[in-house]
Amino acid sequence: MKATYHPGVHKYALFLVAYAIVLLTAGALVTSEDAGLAVPDWPLSYGTLNPPMIGGIAFEHSHRLIAAGLGCLIIVLSFVLWRREERPWMRYLGFAALGTVIVQGMLGGLTVLKLLHYWLPVMHACVAEIMFAILVSIAVFTSRWYVQDQPQYVDSGSPSVHSIVTLNALVIFLQVLVGAGFRHHYLSLKPHVFGAPVVLAMVIWTAAVLRHRFSEVPAIGRVRKLLHSVVGLQIILGLIALWARINSADDPQPMPTVVISTVVHTVVGAILFGTSIITVLVCDRLIPRRREILIATTKGEVPA
Ligand code: HEM
Ligand code: HEM
């Protein structure tokens, strides 16, 4: 793999990750404030780009504006990657980010036009996570660490570390999906509450395997600790969100405790999923797959 480190491109990718967190927060605020249908039309808001910013309109319209901003920033990112990246798959990843943000914008519009029906808000919440994961991946792939030569480590355990970290990311995504199903009134809370111990067990297993097999690798140690801390935080936030929902069941409108706790839990959910993707990428960079070792050995590149 030959690639040049472009500090500017990497910093820009990091900026987009931070911007996406702001956008996820703005989106989650729309849901928690019950403002999803405060603006009935799309792509314009009340037929204009500048509606009166009052009540729910302020939340919904500012979410749309921030989302449009991300769309523009991603157009620039995909152009820059197209011009400067030597790795062809990175150029396609830039287009994937662009395609996802377009799909996400259209899903947002349909969510409004179809009055929050057909699981559209759940799809919108989940595609937001996928888009965030793509931006996080671009930030990892453009980092100096990823581009530089790195020592390679052999995974002699079974199942392979790659299978375990991929399953870990999948389980976290499913937990996000059922969380969104509940948040948008399509599912009961049960699958999400029962999913929490499954996620915790999966993260503990993943981290234990990483510690046993690769205790000497600093980068793997760092992602392992990050994964543990974010999942712990997320479970505490989930309990707080549930407590707030139960306590405000009879309130006529969303109260600040509910809004803050559910928004933070939703956003940290995306950060946890992003962390699980970083774990996959770090393992992918440092630990060759058995298939790759076999090919290299056959070609005589690695002593048998
Ligand atoms: C393009 C990037 C976009 C991203 C990353 C994004 C992200 C999000 C997120 C994370 C949520 C919160 C989901 C939840 O709390 O469960 C949300 C809610 C929402 N978004 Fe977006 N959004 C985008 C664009 C749009 C656009 C263009 C519209 C246009 C109308 C839109 C309309 C909505 C609506 C109506 C909700 C509230 C849904 C509900 O209350 O059930 N979004 N968005
Ligand atoms: C184990 C890891 C967990 C993850 C990754 C996670 C993730 C999420 C996400 C991403 C959402 C919002 C989905 C969306 O619309 O975008 C959500 C909603 C929710 N989660 Fe979790 N969650 C976890 C654990 C928990 C736990 C332990 C509880 C409480 C027992 C909990 C309670 C809730 C509640 C009540 C909501 C809905 C918030 C609302 O009413 O608006 N979560 N979760």
Side-chain angles (χ1 to χ4, degrees), residues 131-171:
M131 201 207 64
F132 182 63
I134 295 177
L135 292 177
V136 167
S137 307
I138 293 177
V140 172
F141 292 139
T142 52
S143 67
R144 187 201 295 271
W145 177 84
Y146 196 91
V147 167
Q148 271 173 353
D149 282 340
Q150 295 293 338
Q152 300 291 290
Y153 301 87
V154 175
D155 174 23
S156 43
S158 178
S160 78
V161 84
H162 298 296
S163 311
I164 297 172
V165 293
T166 307
L167 184 65
N168 179 58
L170 198 71
V171 167

CSV table of all heavy atoms in Angstrom, one decimal, residues 131-171:
chain,number,residue,atom,x,y,z
A,131,MET,N,-23.3,7.2,8.0
A,131,MET,CA,-22.5,8.4,7.4
A,131,MET,C,-21.4,8.8,8.4
A,131,MET,O,-20.3,9.1,7.9
A,131,MET,CB,-23.5,9.5,7.2
A,131,MET,CG,-23.1,10.5,6.2
A,131,MET,SD,-23.9,12.1,6.7
A,131,MET,CE,-23.2,12.3,8.3
A,132,PHE,N,-21.8,8.8,9.7
A,132,PHE,CA,-20.7,9.2,10.7
A,132,PHE,C,-19.6,8.2,10.6
A,132,PHE,O,-18.4,8.6,10.6
A,132,PHE,CB,-21.4,9.2,12.0
A,132,PHE,CG,-20.5,9.6,13.1
A,132,PHE,CD1,-19.9,10.9,13.2
A,132,PHE,CD2,-20.1,8.8,14.2
A,132,PHE,CE1,-19.1,11.3,14.2
A,132,PHE,CE2,-19.3,9.2,15.2
A,132,PHE,CZ,-18.8,10.4,15.2
A,133,ALA,N,-19.9,6.9,10.5
A,133,ALA,CA,-18.8,5.9,10.4
A,133,ALA,C,-17.9,6.1,9.2
A,133,ALA,O,-16.7,5.9,9.3
A,133,ALA,CB,-19.5,4.5,10.5
A,134,ILE,N,-18.5,6.5,8.1
A,134,ILE,CA,-17.7,6.7,6.9
A,134,ILE,C,-16.8,7.9,7.1
A,134,ILE,O,-15.6,7.8,6.8
A,134,ILE,CB,-18.6,6.9,5.6
A,134,ILE,CG1,-19.4,5.7,5.3
A,134,ILE,CG2,-17.8,7.4,4.4
A,134,ILE,CD1,-20.4,5.9,4.1
A,135,LEU,N,-17.3,8.9,7.7
A,135,LEU,CA,-16.4,10.1,8.0
A,135,LEU,C,-15.3,9.8,8.9
A,135,LEU,O,-14.1,10.2,8.7
A,135,LEU,CB,-17.2,11.3,8.5
A,135,LEU,CG,-18.2,11.9,7.5
A,135,LEU,CD1,-19.0,13.0,8.2
A,135,LEU,CD2,-17.5,12.4,6.3
A,136,VAL,N,-15.6,9.0,10.0
A,136,VAL,CA,-14.6,8.5,10.9
A,136,VAL,C,-13.5,7.7,10.2
A,136,VAL,O,-12.3,7.9,10.4
A,136,VAL,CB,-15.2,7.7,12.1
A,136,VAL,CG1,-14.2,7.0,12.9
A,136,VAL,CG2,-16.1,8.6,13.0
A,137,SER,N,-14.0,6.8,9.3
A,137,SER,CA,-13.1,5.9,8.6
A,137,SER,C,-12.1,6.8,7.7
A,137,SER,O,-10.9,6.5,7.7
A,137,SER,CB,-13.8,5.0,7.7
A,137,SER,OG,-14.7,4.3,8.4
A,138,ILE,N,-12.7,7.8,7.0
A,138,ILE,CA,-11.8,8.7,6.2
A,138,ILE,C,-10.8,9.4,7.1
A,138,ILE,O,-9.6,9.5,6.7
A,138,ILE,CB,-12.7,9.7,5.4
A,138,ILE,CG1,-13.5,8.9,4.4
A,138,ILE,CG2,-11.8,10.7,4.7
A,138,ILE,CD1,-14.5,9.8,3.5
A,139,ALA,N,-11.2,9.8,8.3
A,139,ALA,CA,-10.2,10.5,9.2
A,139,ALA,C,-9.1,9.5,9.6
A,139,ALA,O,-7.9,9.8,9.6
A,139,ALA,CB,-10.9,11.0,10.4
A,140,VAL,N,-9.5,8.2,9.8
A,140,VAL,CA,-8.5,7.2,10.2
A,140,VAL,C,-7.5,6.9,9.0
A,140,VAL,O,-6.3,7.0,9.1
A,140,VAL,CB,-9.1,5.9,10.7
A,140,VAL,CG1,-8.1,4.8,10.8
A,140,VAL,CG2,-9.9,6.1,12.0
A,141,PHE,N,-8.1,6.7,7.8
A,141,PHE,CA,-7.3,6.3,6.6
A,141,PHE,C,-6.4,7.5,6.2
A,141,PHE,O,-5.4,7.2,5.5
A,141,PHE,CB,-8.3,6.0,5.4
A,141,PHE,CG,-9.1,4.7,5.6
A,141,PHE,CD1,-10.4,4.7,5.2
A,141,PHE,CD2,-8.5,3.6,6.2
A,141,PHE,CE1,-11.1,3.5,5.4
A,141,PHE,CE2,-9.2,2.4,6.3
A,141,PHE,CZ,-10.5,2.4,6.0
A,142,THR,N,-6.7,8.7,6.5
A,142,THR,CA,-5.9,9.8,6.0
A,142,THR,C,-4.9,10.2,7.1
A,142,THR,O,-4.1,11.2,6.9
A,142,THR,CB,-6.7,11.1,5.7
A,142,THR,OG1,-7.6,11.4,6.8
A,142,THR,CG2,-7.5,10.9,4.4
A,143,SER,N,-4.9,9.5,8.3
A,143,SER,CA,-4.0,9.9,9.4
A,143,SER,C,-2.5,9.5,9.1
A,143,SER,O,-2.3,8.5,8.3
A,143,SER,CB,-4.4,9.2,10.7
A,143,SER,OG,-4.3,7.8,10.6
A,144,ARG,N,-1.6,10.2,9.7
A,144,ARG,CA,-0.2,9.8,9.5
A,144,ARG,C,0.1,8.4,10.0
A,144,ARG,O,0.8,7.6,9.3
A,144,ARG,CB,0.7,10.8,10.3
A,144,ARG,CG,2.2,10.7,10.1
A,144,ARG,CD,2.9,11.2,11.3
A,144,ARG,NE,2.8,12.6,11.5
A,144,ARG,CZ,3.5,13.6,10.9
A,144,ARG,NH1,4.5,13.2,10.1
A,144,ARG,NH2,3.3,14.8,11.1
A,145,TRP,N,-0.6,8.0,11.1
A,145,TRP,CA,-0.4,6.7,11.7
A,145,TRP,C,-0.8,5.6,10.7
A,145,TRP,O,-0.1,4.6,10.5
A,145,TRP,CB,-1.2,6.5,12.9
A,145,TRP,CG,-1.2,5.2,13.5
A,145,TRP,CD1,-0.2,4.7,14.4
A,145,TRP,CD2,-2.0,4.1,13.3
A,145,TRP,NE1,-0.4,3.4,14.7
A,145,TRP,CE2,-1.6,3.0,14.1
A,145,TRP,CE3,-3.2,3.9,12.5
A,145,TRP,CZ2,-2.2,1.7,14.1
A,145,TRP,CZ3,-3.8,2.7,12.6
A,145,TRP,CH2,-3.3,1.6,13.3
A,146,TYR,N,-1.9,5.8,10.0
A,146,TYR,CA,-2.4,4.8,9.1
A,146,TYR,C,-1.5,4.7,7.8
A,146,TYR,O,-1.2,3.6,7.3
A,146,TYR,CB,-3.8,5.1,8.6
A,146,TYR,CG,-4.5,3.9,8.0
A,146,TYR,CD1,-5.2,3.0,8.8
A,146,TYR,CD2,-4.4,3.6,6.6
A,146,TYR,CE1,-5.8,1.9,8.2
A,146,TYR,CE2,-4.9,2.5,6.1
A,146,TYR,CZ,-5.7,1.6,6.9
A,146,TYR,OH,-6.2,0.5,6.3
A,147,VAL,N,-1.0,5.8,7.4
A,147,VAL,CA,-0.2,5.9,6.1
A,147,VAL,C,1.2,5.4,6.3
A,147,VAL,O,1.8,4.7,5.4
A,147,VAL,CB,-0.3,7.3,5.6
A,147,VAL,CG1,0.7,7.5,4.5
A,147,VAL,CG2,-1.7,7.7,5.1
A,148,GLN,N,1.8,5.6,7.5
A,148,GLN,CA,3.1,5.2,7.8
A,148,GLN,C,3.3,3.7,7.9
A,148,GLN,O,2.3,3.0,8.2
A,148,GLN,CB,3.6,5.7,9.2
A,148,GLN,CG,4.2,7.1,9.1
A,148,GLN,CD,4.5,7.6,10.6
A,148,GLN,OE1,4.0,7.0,11.6
A,148,GLN,NE2,5.1,8.7,10.6
A,149,ASP,N,4.5,3.2,7.7
A,149,ASP,CA,4.7,1.7,7.9
A,149,ASP,C,4.5,1.4,9.3
A,149,ASP,O,4.9,2.1,10.2
A,149,ASP,CB,6.2,1.4,7.5
A,149,ASP,CG,6.3,1.3,6.0
A,149,ASP,OD1,5.3,1.1,5.3
A,149,ASP,OD2,7.5,1.4,5.5
A,150,GLN,N,3.8,0.3,9.6
A,150,GLN,CA,3.6,-0.2,10.9
A,150,GLN,C,4.0,-1.6,11.1
A,150,GLN,O,3.9,-2.4,10.1
A,150,GLN,CB,2.0,-0.1,11.2
A,150,GLN,CG,1.4,1.2,11.2
A,150,GLN,CD,1.9,2.1,12.3
A,150,GLN,OE1,2.4,1.6,13.4
A,150,GLN,NE2,1.9,3.4,12.2
A,151,PRO,N,4.5,-2.0,12.3
A,151,PRO,CA,4.9,-3.4,12.5
A,151,PRO,C,3.6,-4.2,12.4
A,151,PRO,O,2.5,-3.8,12.7
A,151,PRO,CB,5.4,-3.4,13.9
A,151,PRO,CG,5.0,-2.2,14.5
A,151,PRO,CD,4.8,-1.2,13.5
A,152,GLN,N,3.8,-5.5,11.9
A,152,GLN,CA,2.6,-6.4,11.7
A,152,GLN,C,2.6,-7.5,12.8
A,152,GLN,O,3.7,-8.0,13.2
A,152,GLN,CB,2.6,-7.0,10.3
A,152,GLN,CG,2.6,-5.9,9.2
A,152,GLN,CD,1.2,-5.2,9.2
A,152,GLN,OE1,0.2,-5.7,8.8
A,152,GLN,NE2,1.2,-3.9,9.5
A,153,TYR,N,1.5,-7.8,13.3
A,153,TYR,CA,1.4,-8.8,14.3
A,153,TYR,C,0.5,-10.0,13.9
A,153,TYR,O,-0.5,-9.8,13.1
A,153,TYR,CB,0.7,-8.2,15.6
A,153,TYR,CG,1.5,-7.0,16.1
A,153,TYR,CD1,1.3,-5.7,15.6
A,153,TYR,CD2,2.5,-7.2,17.0
A,153,TYR,CE1,2.0,-4.6,16.0
A,153,TYR,CE2,3.2,-6.1,17.5
A,153,TYR,CZ,3.0,-4.8,17.0
A,153,TYR,OH,3.7,-3.7,17.4
A,154,VAL,N,0.9,-11.2,14.3
A,154,VAL,CA,0.2,-12.4,13.9
A,154,VAL,C,-0.9,-12.8,14.9
A,154,VAL,O,-0.6,-12.8,16.1
A,154,VAL,CB,1.2,-13.6,13.7
A,154,VAL,CG1,0.4,-14.9,13.4
A,154,VAL,CG2,2.2,-13.3,12.6
A,155,ASP,N,-2.1,-13.1,14.4
A,155,ASP,CA,-3.2,-13.5,15.2
A,155,ASP,C,-3.3,-15.0,15.1
A,155,ASP,O,-3.6,-15.5,14.1
A,155,ASP,CB,-4.5,-12.8,14.7
A,155,ASP,CG,-5.7,-13.3,15.4
A,155,ASP,OD1,-5.6,-13.8,16.5
A,155,ASP,OD2,-6.8,-13.2,14.8
A,156,SER,N,-2.9,-15.7,16.3
A,156,SER,CA,-2.9,-17.1,16.2
A,156,SER,C,-4.2,-17.7,16.8
A,156,SER,O,-4.3,-18.9,16.9
A,156,SER,CB,-1.7,-17.7,16.8
A,156,SER,OG,-1.4,-17.0,18.0
A,157,GLY,N,-5.1,-16.9,17.3
A,157,GLY,CA,-6.3,-17.4,18.0
A,157,GLY,C,-7.4,-17.7,17.1
A,157,GLY,O,-7.4,-17.3,15.9
A,158,SER,N,-8.5,-18.3,17.7
A,158,SER,CA,-9.7,-18.5,16.9
A,158,SER,C,-10.9,-18.3,17.8
A,158,SER,O,-10.8,-18.7,19.0
A,158,SER,CB,-9.6,-20.0,16.4
A,158,SER,OG,-10.8,-20.3,15.7
A,159,PRO,N,-12.0,-17.7,17.3
A,159,PRO,CA,-12.1,-17.1,16.0
A,159,PRO,C,-11.1,-15.9,15.8
A,159,PRO,O,-10.6,-15.4,16.8
A,159,PRO,CB,-13.6,-16.5,16.0
A,159,PRO,CG,-14.1,-16.7,17.4
A,159,PRO,CD,-13.1,-17.5,18.2
A,160,SER,N,-11.0,-15.5,14.6
A,160,SER,CA,-10.0,-14.5,14.3
A,160,SER,C,-10.4,-13.2,14.9
A,160,SER,O,-11.6,-12.9,15.1
A,160,SER,CB,-9.8,-14.3,12.8
A,160,SER,OG,-10.9,-13.6,12.3
A,161,VAL,N,-9.4,-12.3,15.2
A,161,VAL,CA,-9.7,-11.0,15.8
A,161,VAL,C,-10.5,-10.2,14.9
A,161,VAL,O,-11.4,-9.4,15.3
A,161,VAL,CB,-8.3,-10.4,16.2
A,161,VAL,CG1,-7.7,-9.6,15.1
A,161,VAL,CG2,-8.5,-9.5,17.4
A,162,HIS,N,-10.3,-10.4,13.6
A,162,HIS,CA,-11.1,-9.6,12.6
A,162,HIS,C,-12.6,-9.9,12.7
A,162,HIS,O,-13.5,-9.1,12.6
A,162,HIS,CB,-10.6,-9.8,11.2
A,162,HIS,CG,-9.2,-9.4,11.0
A,162,HIS,ND1,-8.8,-8.1,11.1
A,162,HIS,CD2,-8.1,-10.1,10.8
A,162,HIS,CE1,-7.5,-8.0,11.0
A,162,HIS,NE2,-7.0,-9.2,10.7
A,163,SER,N,-12.9,-11.2,12.9
A,163,SER,CA,-14.3,-11.6,13.0
A,163,SER,C,-14.9,-11.0,14.3
A,163,SER,O,-16.0,-10.6,14.3
A,163,SER,CB,-14.5,-13.2,13.1
A,163,SER,OG,-13.7,-13.8,12.1
A,164,ILE,N,-14.1,-11.1,15.3
A,164,ILE,CA,-14.7,-10.6,16.6
A,164,ILE,C,-14.9,-9.1,16.6
A,164,ILE,O,-16.0,-8.7,17.0
A,164,ILE,CB,-13.7,-11.0,17.8
A,164,ILE,CG1,-13.6,-12.5,17.9
A,164,ILE,CG2,-14.2,-10.4,19.1
A,164,ILE,CD1,-12.5,-13.0,18.8
A,165,VAL,N,-14.0,-8.3,16.1
A,165,VAL,CA,-14.2,-6.9,16.1
A,165,VAL,C,-15.3,-6.5,15.2
A,165,VAL,O,-16.1,-5.5,15.4
A,165,VAL,CB,-12.9,-6.0,15.9
A,165,VAL,CG1,-11.9,-6.2,17.0
A,165,VAL,CG2,-12.3,-6.4,14.6
A,166,THR,N,-15.5,-7.2,14.1
A,166,THR,CA,-16.6,-6.9,13.1
A,166,THR,C,-17.9,-7.2,13.7
A,166,THR,O,-18.9,-6.5,13.6
A,166,THR,CB,-16.4,-7.7,11.8
A,166,THR,OG1,-15.1,-7.5,11.3
A,166,THR,CG2,-17.4,-7.3,10.7
A,167,LEU,N,-18.0,-8.4,14.4
A,167,LEU,CA,-19.2,-8.8,15.1
A,167,LEU,C,-19.6,-7.7,16.2
A,167,LEU,O,-20.7,-7.3,16.4
A,167,LEU,CB,-19.0,-10.2,15.7
A,167,LEU,CG,-20.3,-10.7,16.4
A,167,LEU,CD1,-21.4,-11.0,15.4
A,167,LEU,CD2,-19.9,-12.1,17.1
A,168,ASN,N,-18.5,-7.2,16.9
A,168,ASN,CA,-18.7,-6.2,17.9
A,168,ASN,C,-19.4,-5.0,17.3
A,168,ASN,O,-20.4,-4.5,17.9
A,168,ASN,CB,-17.4,-5.9,18.5
A,168,ASN,CG,-17.5,-4.8,19.6
A,168,ASN,OD1,-18.1,-5.0,20.6
A,168,ASN,ND2,-16.8,-3.7,19.4
A,169,ALA,N,-18.9,-4.5,16.1
A,169,ALA,CA,-19.5,-3.3,15.5
A,169,ALA,C,-20.9,-3.6,15.1
A,169,ALA,O,-21.8,-2.8,15.2
A,169,ALA,CB,-18.6,-2.9,14.3
A,170,LEU,N,-21.2,-4.8,14.6
A,170,LEU,CA,-22.5,-5.2,14.1
A,170,LEU,C,-23.5,-5.2,15.3
A,170,LEU,O,-24.6,-4.7,15.2
A,170,LEU,CB,-22.4,-6.6,13.5
A,170,LEU,CG,-23.6,-7.0,12.6
A,170,LEU,CD1,-23.5,-6.2,11.3
A,170,LEU,CD2,-23.5,-8.5,12.2
A,171,VAL,N,-23.1,-5.8,16.4
A,171,VAL,CA,-24.0,-5.9,17.6
A,171,VAL,C,-24.3,-4.4,18.1
A,171,VAL,O,-25.5,-4.1,18.4
A,171,VAL,CB,-23.3,-6.7,18.7
A,171,VAL,CG1,-24.0,-6.5,20.0
A,171,VAL,CG2,-23.3,-8.2,18.3
